[in-house]
Amino acid sequence: MPVFPYFKPRVGRPAAAAIALCLGLGALGSAAGQSIGTLPPEAAAVLQRERIPPEALSVVVEEVGALPVRGQPPAPRLRLQADKPVNPASLTKLLTTYAALDLLGPAWSWNTPVWINGELRDGVLDGSLIIQGRGDPKLVLERVWLLLRRVQAAGVREIRGDIVLDTDAFAPPRSAPADFDNEPLRPYNVRADALLLNQKTVIYRFTPDAVRNVARISAEPTLAGTTVQAELPMAEGPCGDWRSTVKPRFDDPAQVRFEGRYPLACGERQWPVADPAPQTYAARLLAQLWAEAGGQLRGKVRAGPAPTATPPTFQFESPPLAEVVRDINKYSNNTMAQQLFLTLGLERAGQGTPEAAREVLQRWLAERLRLDAASQQALVIDNGSGLSRDTRLPAALLARLLQSAWASPVMPDLVASLPASGTDGTLRRSQAPAGRAHLKTGSLRDVAGVAGYVLGDSGRRYLLVAIVNHPNAAAARPAFDALVQWTLRDGAMPGTP
């Protein structure tokens, strides 16, 4: 499955909601509103150098699973502005994925019902093939191909009717891909869809042909009714920002063109792009794959309802939820997170809407973290991915969430889904020792954060939450690295033997 970027930007909800959140979370712990400890000098130096004021940073570092002392929770190692409401960016995915693992179970899976509807004789279906989307985020190219192979294995070679797609299980927000940051072709901006095929994305591959002095252009997948320019002239010089020299033209979705020159020094490169006509992507992909598999379609691919009176011919099962959660958290996949968010609403409240999903998530948070009603109502949860300027959470809540997750039966699945330092996902370039930190990362235009678990030198494990909300937030990453290193060296911390 392709890995898509997740950089994101917009303006938020009125400050009244954030103030209400700050007031409503007083029950999060006895240290609410207090600061404990001082920022490590290395981290403080980064903030000073990058002109990030200390009040832009929220931090919690505390031991995982430490037992209460005389009935009181153990004091955090470090707690600075932990109750201040902040935008957590993609750290929001921790809420969505932990809730899903807890409510649905790690082995739970999506099922996509398929009806071979009509009389089938000698490979000819005198009727229609009907596919009902139920939110599966893993219907990537190879799995769509396998679904169609199941249809052919049932004996269908020719469809005299239509291929009918039912997408009514989800009612996602009525928004356009460009609404968030005016970047509609970025894969992270693909909207949720009950029948989300290949994340509505095309990967364009540029392969140099030095003999002919051109770069060959190919698309994966190919889409019915869409042609792609075959080649582009090459240029000498360094590779650099090659995408700025290769300018795509998507004004006509049926005719994809590129202008400029492709640098020879780049070698083979690929460029994932959200299809400019997402509303017809599924139809064009299915028509193309069915034809490539040798099937014939006399009708067309169209939207329509699935039968309610007859059971499906078969159901196409997704990988287990635990595997999907790994994809979401390791690579901070926004589209998959939003699919999971709406699935929570569909499975637990009977409606695949943002409103139902928010209600499910808020109710679960209140019960799991023992938040009072005022705290639950004050939480600002926009969507399940963090691709939002409206979400507001305090670092203290994320810390409490991580403590709860560590003590839960789904702990192994959630921790395994987090990027491992120096190993994989969004932490593969981390300078921390390999595997010693498992941290979810978050990033927006003026938000940066990390949250997860760090194994100290003493063998004790700590949770770390650090979030910066500031125009220079991207420059705070070295401060997070310093905090991770400081947490690793727990021998220097007060109270550690």
Side-chain angles (χ1 to χ4, degrees), residues 21 24 33 40 120 122 199 253 276 288 300 322 351 365 393 416 419 422-423 425 439-440 466 491-492:
L21 174 60
L120 178 61
D122 298 328
Q199 299 188 44
Q288 181 70 28
K300 59 184 179 180
Q351 294 181 308
L365 277 169
L393 298 171
T423 302
L439 299 167
K440 179 73 193 74

Side-chain angles (χ1 to χ4, degrees), residues 6 31 50 58 77 103 112 116-117 183 194 198 213-214 228 250 275 308-309 314-315 318 356 405 437 470 479:
Y6 69 103
E50 301 298 339
S58 298
R77 301 289 184 178
L103 293 170
T112 301
I116 298 174
N117 196 37
E183 293 280 358
N198 203 48
N213 199 34
V214 297
V228 179
F250 295 112
D275 192 77
T308 57
F314 66 87
Q315 298 203 53
S318 77
H470 189 266

Side-chain angles (χ1 to χ4, degrees), residues 381-441:
I381 299 175
D382 185 12
N383 59 47
S385 70
L387 194 68
S388 168
R389 282 291 167 189
D390 297 336
T391 300
R392 291 294 183 272
L393 298 171
L397 184 141
L398 286 172
R400 188 157 179 174
L401 185 88
L402 291 169
Q403 288 283 16
S404 171
W406 189 262
S408 79
V410 301
M411 178 273 287
D413 301 286
L414 183 66
V415 176
S417 77
L418 302 179
S421 57
T423 302
D424 60 16
T426 57
L427 283 187
R428 64 189 179 279
R429 295 189 179 93
S430 169
Q431 299 303 307
R436 289 278 297 276
H438 287 75
L439 299 167
K440 179 73 193 74
T441 60

Side-chain angles (χ1 to χ4, degrees), residues 1-210:
M1 188 191 75
V3 175
F4 301 133
Y6 69 103
F7 174 74
K8 320 123 193 176
R10 225 176 74 184
V11 260
R13 231 174 247 182
I19 295 171
L21 174 60
C22 188
L23 294 175
L25 287 174
L28 280 175
S30 60
Q34 300 177 7
S35 293
I36 298 175
T38 57
L39 196 64
E42 298 87 349
V46 172
L47 299 185
Q48 185 177 25
R49 183 178 69 242
E50 301 298 339
R51 298 182 180 180
I52 299 173
E55 58 269 21
L57 173 67
S58 298
V59 180
V60 178
V61 178
E62 63 188 39
E63 189 175 347
V64 173
L67 297 176
V69 179
R70 290 187 290 276
Q72 295 296 321
R77 301 289 184 178
L78 180 61
R79 181 188 177 102
L80 302 173
Q81 302 184 105
D83 298 292
K84 178 182 177 181
V86 293
N87 188 333
S90 283
L91 303 186
T92 305
K93 294 181 177 72
L94 290 170
L95 277 66
T96 306
T97 53
Y98 177 24
L101 289 169
D102 190 47
L103 293 170
L104 303 176
W108 185 86
S109 60
W110 285 262
N111 282 295
T112 301
V114 178
W115 286 262
I116 298 174
N117 196 37
E119 183 180 355
L120 178 61
R121 181 179 298 174
D122 298 328
V124 177
L125 174 62
D126 191 8
S128 294
L129 176 69
I130 304 171
I131 305 172
Q132 183 183 52
R134 299 287 297 177
D136 185 350
K138 285 282 284 185
L139 283 172
V140 292
L141 184 60
E142 57 270 30
R143 297 194 69 251
V144 178
W145 182 85
L146 287 173
L147 186 154
L148 294 179
R149 290 293 295 174
R150 283 278 298 274
V151 174
Q152 292 195 338
V156 181
R157 292 292 182 273
E158 178 182 337
I159 302 172
R160 289 188 173 171
D162 299 327
I163 297 178
V164 180
L165 310 181
D166 184 341
T167 62
D168 289 343
F170 280 0
R174 294 183 178 180
S175 59
D179 286 351
F180 184 71
D181 57 5
N182 201 32
E183 293 280 358
L185 301 181
R186 298 276 190 173
Y188 62 72
N189 270 327
V190 171
R191 306 291 89 183
D193 193 316
L195 189 62
L196 181 72
L197 303 187
N198 203 48
Q199 299 188 44
K200 299 184 181 182
T201 298
V202 178
I203 295 177
Y204 295 97
R205 183 170 285 104
F206 298 82
T207 305
D209 183 342

Side-chain angles (χ1 to χ4, degrees), residues 181-455:
D181 57 5
N182 201 32
E183 293 280 358
L185 301 181
R186 298 276 190 173
Y188 62 72
N189 270 327
V190 171
R191 306 291 89 183
D193 193 316
L195 189 62
L196 181 72
L197 303 187
N198 203 48
Q199 299 188 44
K200 299 184 181 182
T201 298
V202 178
I203 295 177
Y204 295 97
R205 183 170 285 104
F206 298 82
T207 305
D209 183 342
V211 174
R212 298 179 55 239
N213 199 34
V214 297
R216 298 191 304 274
I217 306 173
S218 60
E220 182 183 297
T222 54
L223 301 170
T226 302
T227 59
V228 179
Q229 180 177 321
E231 56 188 39
L232 192 68
M234 288 201 302
E236 299 295 334
C239 183
D241 183 15
W242 65 276
R243 292 185 184 183
S244 66
T245 64
V246 176
K247 299 178 181 179
R249 295 292 303 272
F250 295 112
D251 44 302
D252 180 3
Q255 181 71 46
V256 176
R257 295 178 294 123
F258 294 89
E259 298 176 347
R261 290 177 175 271
Y262 182 79
L264 174 63
C266 287
E268 184 175 87
R269 295 291 179 102
Q270 60 184 33
W271 190 346
V273 175
D275 192 77
Q279 67 278 5
T280 63
Y281 182 93
R284 288 179 289 143
L285 177 62
L286 286 170
Q288 181 70 28
L289 291 181
W290 182 250
E292 289 178 358
Q296 296 183 31
L297 175 63
R298 301 301 182 188
K300 59 184 179 180
V301 186
R302 62 176 177 84
T308 57
T310 58
T313 307
F314 66 87
Q315 298 203 53
F316 191 70
E317 188 175 12
S318 77
L321 176 61
E323 180 177 327
V324 173
V325 165
R326 282 196 296 273
D327 285 340
I328 291 173
N329 284 335
K330 290 284 188 186
Y331 305 105
S332 207
N333 191 299
N334 291 301
T335 303
M336 294 179 72
Q338 293 183 35
Q339 292 286 115
L340 182 55
F341 181 65
L342 293 179
T343 296
L344 285 173
L346 181 64
E347 294 297 323
R348 302 297 292 191
Q351 294 181 308
T353 65
E355 295 77 15
R358 290 187 197 109
E359 183 180 347
V360 169
L361 191 52
Q362 286 181 324
R363 188 187 319 121
W364 175 83
L365 277 169
E367 295 173 356
R368 180 59 62 199
L369 303 187
R370 299 180 182 177
L371 302 180
D372 58 27
S375 300
Q376 184 187 15
Q377 291 172 1
L379 290 171
V380 181
I381 299 175
D382 185 12
N383 59 47
S385 70
L387 194 68
S388 168
R389 282 291 167 189
D390 297 336
T391 300
R392 291 294 183 272
L393 298 171
L397 184 141
L398 286 172
R400 188 157 179 174
L401 185 88
L402 291 169
Q403 288 283 16
S404 171
W406 189 262
S408 79
V410 301
M411 178 273 287
D413 301 286
L414 183 66
V415 176
S417 77
L418 302 179
S421 57
T423 302
D424 60 16
T426 57
L427 283 187
R428 64 189 179 279
R429 295 189 179 93
S430 169
Q431 299 303 307
R436 289 278 297 276
H438 287 75
L439 299 167
K440 179 73 193 74
T441 60
S443 177
L444 288 173
R445 182 191 56 212
D446 51 5
V447 180
V450 293
Y453 305 99
V454 179
L455 181 61

